[in-house]
């Protein structure tokens, strides 16, 4: 089945630790995205990548880092510099033409203790 | 400064009746609009879209209406079914931009009452 897979689904982290969220897609999409969802807010873009070995900051990139070494994979690292990391993180992918149709993973809920 | 607003956090509708979800936008550059549906513990899925050259787009039980002068769009679901219970996000973008410029609303939780 084609799709986009995020792991882990739930993650707990102590303050001061970095954590990496995995995102893999087999839809042959060139573009991949990371969003953050907080209660009462819309999805906010953290980082995106339209091609392998290239990525761009979104609206709230501070305290996060990404890599795009393979077309299928776009991991997100939440670093200790992120002031408020507890959130629901969504990875998505799409073709690069403007269709607005993003395919989302099931999300990863990160809780910082 | 929210450029896409969904002012109703929640909505309850009787099964079989019409559900109307509303969305307002402020950015005049937006000319392409979408609705996404999200079930708990799942990612959003694309539902329906509309371009500003149209004022209505229909797909089965789902119809999106666009009022450009009022900067307002709405999603109508007729008839509403229990499986429609979900959070609905509207999203907007300017067609001169890429998908990364999609701006999402805060979502409306729709509950269909059997």
């Amino acid at each position: 089945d084609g799709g986009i897979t995020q792991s882990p689904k739930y993650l707990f982290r102590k303050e001061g630790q970095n954590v990496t969220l995995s995102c893999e897609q087999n839809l042959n999409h060139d573009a991949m995205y990371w969003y953050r969802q907080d209660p009462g807010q819309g999805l906010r873009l953290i980082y995106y990548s339209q091609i392998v070995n290239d990525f761009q900051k979104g609206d709230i990139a501070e305290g996060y880092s990404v890599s795009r070494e393979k077309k299928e994979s776009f991991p997100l690292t939440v670093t200790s510099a992120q002031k408020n990391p507890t959130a629901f993180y969504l990875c998505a992918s799409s073709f690069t033409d403007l269709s607005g149709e993003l395919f989302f993973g099931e999300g990863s809920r990160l809780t910082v203790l | 400064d929210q450029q896409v607003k969904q002012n109703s956090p929640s909505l309850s509708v009787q099964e079989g009746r019409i559900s109307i979800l509303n969305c307002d936008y402020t950015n005049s550059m937006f000319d392409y609009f979408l609705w996404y549906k999200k079930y708990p513990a799942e990612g959003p899925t694309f539902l329906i879209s509309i371009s500003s050259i149209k004022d209505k787009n229909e797909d089965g039980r789902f119809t999106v209406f666009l009022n450009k002068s009022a900067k307002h769009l709405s999603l109508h679901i007729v008839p509403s079914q229990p499986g429609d219970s979900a959070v609905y996000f509207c999203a907007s973008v300017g067609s001169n931009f890429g998908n990364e410029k999609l701006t999402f609303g805060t979502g409306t939780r729709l509950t269909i009452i059997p």
Side-chain angles (χ1 to χ4, degrees), chain B:
Chain B
D1 176 33
Q2 283 200 302
Q3 299 184 64
V4 177
K5 299 177 186 178
Q6 292 177 258
N7 292 319
S8 298
S10 62
L11 176 68
S12 294
V13 174
Q14 206 78 31
E15 181 180 359
R17 305 293 291 267
I18 182 171
S19 295
I20 300 176
L21 295 94
N22 294 304
C23 180
D24 297 296
Y25 62 97
T26 57
N27 191 332
S28 300
M29 298 293 289
F30 289 157
D31 58 4
Y32 191 65
F33 307 89
L34 307 96
W35 286 93
Y36 280 82
K37 175 179 180 178
K38 183 183 180 304
Y39 291 119
E42 293 185 15
T45 55
F46 168 76
L47 189 57
I48 192 169
S49 63
I50 188 168
S51 161
S52 61
I53 62 173
K54 294 184 172 183
D55 53 19
K56 175 182 172 181
N57 189 26
E58 198 169 347
D59 184 1
R61 296 185 298 112
F62 301 90
T63 303
V64 56
F65 294 92
L66 176 63
N67 182 333
K68 292 183 285 293
S69 60
K71 293 192 175 69
H72 177 84
L73 64 153
S74 61
L75 175 68
H76 292 210
I77 306 173
V78 183
S80 300
Q81 299 175 354
D84 297 329
S85 293
V87 176
Y88 290 79
F89 292 95
C90 67
S92 308
V93 67
S95 55
N96 289 334
F97 302 101
N99 290 330
E100 72 278 1
K101 293 299 184 185
L102 271 172
T103 300
F104 288 85
T106 52
T108 296
R109 181 178 302 278
L110 175 64
T111 302
I112 305 302
I113 305 164

Side-chain angles (χ1 to χ4, degrees), chain A residues 52-98:
Chain A
V52 174
N53 292 323
D54 187 52
F55 47 83
Q56 306 295 328
K57 292 182 179 179
D59 301 318
I60 54 165
E62 186 175 349
Y64 299 99
S65 66
V66 293
S67 63
R68 188 86 187 276
E69 297 176 4
K70 298 187 303 181
K71 184 176 183 177
E72 301 81 14
S73 179
F74 191 42
L76 173 75
T77 297
V78 184
T79 75
S80 56
Q82 168 48 234
K83 295 285 185 279
N84 187 18
T86 294
F88 187 60
Y89 292 89
L90 283 161
C91 180
S93 68
S94 75
F95 294 111
T96 51
D97 59 326
L98 173 63

